[in-house]
Amino acid sequence: MSNRWKLFIFLLVLMAVTLWLAAISYPGRNLRVIACDVGQGDAFLVIRGKTEILVDGGPGNKVINCLNNYLPFWDREIEVIVLTHPQADHYSGLIEVFENYSVKYFLANALDSSSSNYSVLKSLVGGSQTVIINPTSSVSMRLDLIYLDILSPSSEFLADNSVTTYEQKDRRTKELYQTNNGVLGAYTSEQDPNQFSIVAMLSYGEFDALFTGDIDNKLSDDLAEIIKQKYNKPLEYIKVPHHGSKNGLSQSLLGSSNWKIGVISVGKNNSYGHPHQEVLKILGEKDIKILRTDEMGDVVIATDGKNLIIPEN
Amino acid sequence: MRRFLPWLLVTIIIIIRLIYFYQGRPSYPDGTRLRITYRVTSEPIRYSSSQYLRLRGFKVYLPLFPEVNYGDRVIIEGRVDGEILKDPSLIGIKERGGNLYYLRKRLIAFYQKSLPNDHAALVAGMTLGSKANIGQDFWAVLKESGTAHVVVASGMNVTLIASFLTTFLVLVIPRRRAIFLAIVGIWLYALISGFDAPIVRAAVMGSVAFTAQVLGKVYNATRALFLSAFALLFIKTDWLYDLGFILSFVATLSLIIFVPKLQKVFKALPKGIRENLVTTLSAQIGVAPILYIAFGQFNVLSPLANILVLWTVVPVTIIGMISGIISLVTVPIGTLILWLSYPLTLWFISVVNVFG
């Protein structure tokens, strides 16, 4: 056999194997909600077929490993990334994500952070094709069969608590800000960035998951009211706010529905003492299954829209 | 005697150069605050929360962002502590604007956007010698399994490019001119790939070999190797401490010495396996003791790991180069071609994980 033939056959085999690997790695029809083990921080990946939603990127760049493990190698586009609020344990990993994937929509507050890493993220997003959306409550979006409702922050809250930085900037920035779409870092605030957390309800069939960012007790109470009004059905999955801090989950938020699973994204032996005993206690009292990334690594929940597959811990 | 005279001369010159180098080297006591302005001459290595680079003999660990890249001109201030520059702060950074640096960045970005990160890092490492995007965990695995040398663009890439260029150029232009252009191509590649010591070493040797061909002289690999080593040390004396340079030199030398001998020992084996085995073992004979001294560890199984993965390097490098060039015109087609490397990198990563 001549070398040319050998080369040809090698190429054919390579193509066949690549195709097989591409086919095998195609994700199933179930929706999966994955709490990535990123240490002390948040990164939640929602994936169904070729559609992915990433809520926060965690500290460091571990989130990339999570994406590698659950996305097929040929899927290089993430449909939606939500950054709940610009704090390092929520956005740092996104820098690497934006370097490695193309992203369709980026949902984030226009709240600025003085950190130089946040500037890196801002310029990276600005230089990409990504559409930036500054969501407020009442915004909803649909992707494939997945619905995403934004529950917080409200536009009133943003109007009251933000100090726009556009005054120093040119008129164009001002106009951009006034359309309230597509800017990162348009204003600063005296308030704790946690208060700006984007809270989102994700629904797929009869399955609902609530992503709460780092909201505090008071916002948890407000959220409970909104949920009672808006959702007249059982809700299953709650991301325990603020890594299980005492100033996060409230009794009334837990009482707002018949939650089945409470997921805590938290680092092993973290210096904050998260999750707090009291939070674990109230979760236990309600008979909610607690799943923690510091104990289990990635926490993967799968659902077909009706039934839930919950890992044992 | 006549034959040795030139060598004696060269050796004396090199010794004088070394003495000059050591005497001219400023020494700073611990605690001195230094401000270094320097062009980054090799790719910084990124860890999960810091990036590591060497500046004028000092180790510097900077925060991950802003990213420092090969070719950037940086101003860094810090405090001397042994060979480390403590509490470094990046005062200024100016990106190198030249076309070649832009090309390199663009290719690496293309790999990154088209493949999962370890795979992309592997392709970027094999084709361009870019170590920047190799994650900490993956780097550790590569080191432990004794396969890290693969990810550093090596002399082999230069050989690949040289033979690729000559094969094609000879078809269209006269031989002499083709060889001249091939030499130009080798040096352009050396520039794109970050001017790392192993590549420059191979580029010098390749140029010597080609020149010998044009002049109709006999090419002696050993002689070319020593000549290039001396020439490089004369120009860049601090490469004397560059592990990449030392390894590249020793590996090449032990290939020249041991390959013919081991070929005879293993002549019973089928050709494909024999080539791999002989090359790996020959290189390891020289390299293993140095790795042991440098890292204090040596994986007994590393020759086996190498035999299992080395065959993927040439196809991955070729796929990486071709898809990279095509991506400059059309990214989707480039991506499709690049995906052909996925089974190979998957095999590489899986095997390395077993051994590392």
Side-chain angles (χ1 to χ4, degrees):
Chain A
M1 215 164 34
S2 76
N3 277 336
R4 207 169 291 179
W5 269 105
K6 274 187 196 161
L7 188 68
F8 184 64
I9 288 171
F10 180 72
L11 212 59
L12 277 185
V13 172
L14 209 54
M15 281 191 216
V17 177
T18 309
L19 281 175
W20 270 106
L21 287 173
I24 292 170
S25 58
Y26 194 91
R29 299 202 148 269
N30 280 349
L31 177 95
R32 280 176 296 166
V33 180
I34 300 144
C36 298
D37 178 21
V38 291
Q40 181 66 14
D42 272 0
F44 288 79
L45 175 65
V46 179
I47 176 167
R48 181 185 175 273
K50 290 194 299 178
T51 308
E52 293 93 20
I53 300 170
L54 179 68
V55 182
D56 288 341
N61 46 26
K62 276 188 172 169
V63 65
I64 281 291
N65 297 336
C66 188
L67 293 172
N68 277 347
N69 292 342
Y70 298 98
L71 263 65
F73 73 90
W74 42 264
D75 190 353
R76 308 305 299 168
E77 185 181 67
I78 296 173
E79 275 64 24
V80 175
I81 293 186
V82 181
L83 170 61
T84 57
H85 61 294
Q87 271 183 337
D89 57 335
H90 293 256
Y91 74 71
S92 297
L94 293 182
I95 297 175
E96 195 102 339
V97 174
F98 273 96
E99 278 178 355
N100 283 278
Y101 292 86
S102 40
V103 178
K104 251 191 185 159
Y105 299 104
F106 186 46
L107 273 63
N109 278 313
L111 178 66
D112 205 7
S113 155
S114 56
S115 143
S116 63
N117 283 2
Y118 196 63
S119 312
V120 174
L121 180 65
K122 280 191 292 188
S123 62
L124 203 57
V125 177
S128 69
Q129 305 283 324
T130 307
V131 177
I132 302 168
I133 298 172
N134 299 137
T136 50
S137 50
S138 77
V139 167
S140 292
M141 59 193 301
R142 207 200 95 184
L143 289 139
D144 194 9
L145 296 170
I146 306 167
Y147 292 83
L148 201 63
D149 297 342
I150 307 298
L151 306 180
S152 184
S154 66
S155 37
E156 296 82 42
F157 173 84
L158 291 180
D160 291 347
N161 292 291
S162 56
V163 183
T164 48
T165 54
Y166 65 70
E167 273 145 359
Q168 303 104 31
K169 294 179 185 165
D170 57 325
R171 175 179 288 201
R172 213 180 113 66
T173 325
K174 190 169 172 178
E175 281 164 7
L176 266 175
Y177 176 72
Q178 281 166 344
T179 62
N180 198 26
N181 246 350
V183 250
L184 292 177
Y187 58 76
T188 55
S189 175
E190 305 269 290
Q191 291 270 354
D192 184 350
N194 289 345
Q195 300 296 95
F196 287 81
S197 287
I198 294 174
V199 176
M201 183 77 79
L202 179 137
S203 309
Y204 172 70
E206 290 167 16
F207 171 81
D208 305 274
L210 181 66
F211 297 99
T212 54
D214 280 359
I215 57 171
D216 67 358
N217 288 133
K218 187 181 166 299
L219 274 171
S220 285
D221 289 343
D222 297 350
L223 191 59
E225 289 309 311
I226 299 172
I227 288 174
K228 272 184 215 155
Q229 276 174 27
K230 203 168 172 182
Y231 297 93
N232 222 342
K233 56 174 181 174
L235 308 171
E236 290 77 22
Y237 184 108
I238 179 166
K239 188 225 98 128
V240 176
H242 207 174
H243 323 289
S245 159
K246 205 170 109 185
N247 189 21
L249 188 65
S250 72
Q251 287 278 9
S252 60
L253 180 56
L254 271 190
S256 64
S257 186
N258 228 340
W259 304 101
K260 287 199 183 99
I261 314 158
V263 177
I264 305 177
S265 181
V266 72
K268 243 179 220 150
N269 308 323
N270 63 80
S271 56
Y272 305 95
H274 295 163
H276 198 273
Q277 283 306 322
E278 208 163 302
V279 170
L280 294 177
K281 206 181 101 202
I282 57 173
L283 283 165
E285 280 166 2
K286 292 263 179 197
D287 212 19
I288 294 171
K289 184 149 191 161
I290 304 169
L291 302 171
R292 296 166 53 170
T293 57
D294 59 336
E295 292 175 353
M296 305 171 58
D298 294 351
V299 175
V300 187
I301 307 288
T303 175
D304 57 359
K306 275 187 183 155
N307 308 306
L308 278 178
I309 306 167
I310 304 168
E312 288 305 313
N313 54 353
Chain B
M1 192 57 212
R2 264 230 159 127
R3 270 186 63 200
F4 293 103
L5 208 59
W7 287 106
L8 197 67
L9 210 64
V10 169
T11 317
I12 291 169
I13 291 173
I14 258 312
I15 289 170
I16 292 170
R17 178 74 182 91
L18 284 179
I19 293 169
Y20 182 74
F21 173 72
Y22 279 108
Q23 290 197 331
R25 218 156 99 119
S27 72
Y28 302 99
D30 284 1
T32 320
R33 285 204 71 80
L34 272 188
R35 175 183 280 212
I36 304 176
T37 308
Y38 198 63
R39 203 162 67 72
V40 181
T41 46
S42 64
E43 189 105 42
I45 294 172
R46 296 215 167 92
Y47 297 119
S48 61
S49 62
S50 65
Q51 49 184 340
Y52 159 74
L53 54 151
R54 276 199 91 102
L55 288 182
R56 308 225 162 190
F58 289 110
K59 291 180 176 173
V60 183
Y61 294 88
L62 284 171
L64 260 186
F65 297 100
E67 275 179 17
V68 176
N69 287 306
Y70 157 66
D72 293 350
R73 182 169 282 281
V74 291
I75 306 171
I76 288 173
E77 217 177 61
R79 188 167 46 78
V80 179
D81 184 5
E83 57 172 355
I84 300 173
L85 201 62
K86 279 270 169 81
D87 311 321
S89 58
L90 187 63
I91 292 171
I93 177 166
K94 210 174 128 207
E95 273 182 31
R96 178 75 180 238
N99 287 333
L100 284 175
Y101 295 91
Y102 172 73
L103 177 65
R104 174 186 170 84
K105 268 185 126 169
R106 194 166 154 181
L107 288 178
I108 293 174
F110 162 67
Y111 298 140
Q112 258 189 306
K113 287 253 172 177
S114 310
L115 283 173
N117 67 334
D118 284 350
H119 298 260
L122 209 50
V123 176
M126 286 180 191
T127 48
L128 296 171
S130 158
K131 283 160 282 190
N133 296 303
I134 299 173
Q136 196 175 13
D137 300 339
F138 187 41
W139 187 240
V141 170
L142 287 173
K143 263 187 175 169
E144 278 165 31
S145 60
T147 48
H149 61 97
V150 185
V151 199
V152 184
S154 61
M156 185 210 70
N157 296 34
V158 175
T159 320
L160 270 180
I161 295 211
S163 51
F164 187 79
L165 282 177
T166 41
T167 324
F168 279 88
L169 288 174
V170 159
L171 298 178
V172 277
I173 49 174
R175 196 176 154 71
R176 278 185 160 225
R177 217 171 289 168
I179 287 176
F180 175 73
L181 278 180
I183 295 178
V184 173
I186 291 175
W187 284 99
L188 279 180
Y189 175 75
L191 209 56
I192 294 174
S193 64
F195 234 67
D196 273 346
I199 301 256
V200 179
R201 195 267 315 145
V204 172
M205 276 184 77
S207 308
V208 171
F210 276 140
T211 319
Q213 266 189 33
V214 173
L215 299 177
K217 297 266 159 77
V218 180
Y219 172 67
N220 179 323
T222 324
R223 212 184 291 167
L225 177 66
F226 276 97
L227 202 65
S228 61
F230 281 153
L232 291 177
L233 282 183
F234 188 78
I235 300 162
K236 285 207 69 129
T237 314
D238 40 346
W239 274 0
L240 198 58
Y241 296 100
D242 187 319
L243 197 62
F245 178 77
I246 299 169
L247 286 178
S248 164
F249 177 79
V250 173
T252 314
L253 186 62
S254 73
L255 282 179
I256 295 169
I257 298 173
F258 294 109
V259 165
K261 296 190 174 132
L262 290 179
Q263 287 277 22
K264 282 180 205 144
V265 178
F266 292 105
K267 63 176 172 235
L269 290 172
K271 192 170 168 249
I273 299 171
R274 189 182 59 209
E275 299 273 292
N276 260 326
L277 182 78
V278 166
T279 324
T280 315
L281 281 182
S282 311
Q284 289 285 346
I285 293 172
V287 165
I290 294 172
L291 284 181
Y292 186 75
I293 295 166
F295 297 113
Q297 66 181 35
F298 172 69
N299 192 338
V300 195
L301 293 173
S302 102
L304 185 59
N306 273 290
I307 292 162
L308 287 174
V309 299
L310 270 189
W311 64 272
T312 62
V313 177
V314 173
V316 169
T317 309
I318 292 173
I319 293 170
M321 283 176 184
I322 292 177
S323 65
I325 292 166
I326 290 175
S327 80
L328 301 176
V329 186
T330 148
V331 173
I333 295 176
T335 306
L336 276 178
I337 295 175
L338 183 60
W339 281 346
L340 287 179
S341 71
Y342 182 76
L344 303 168
T345 48
L346 184 68
W347 165 261
F348 188 107
I349 290 170
S350 315
V351 169
V352 162
N353 272 315
V354 171
F355 284 92

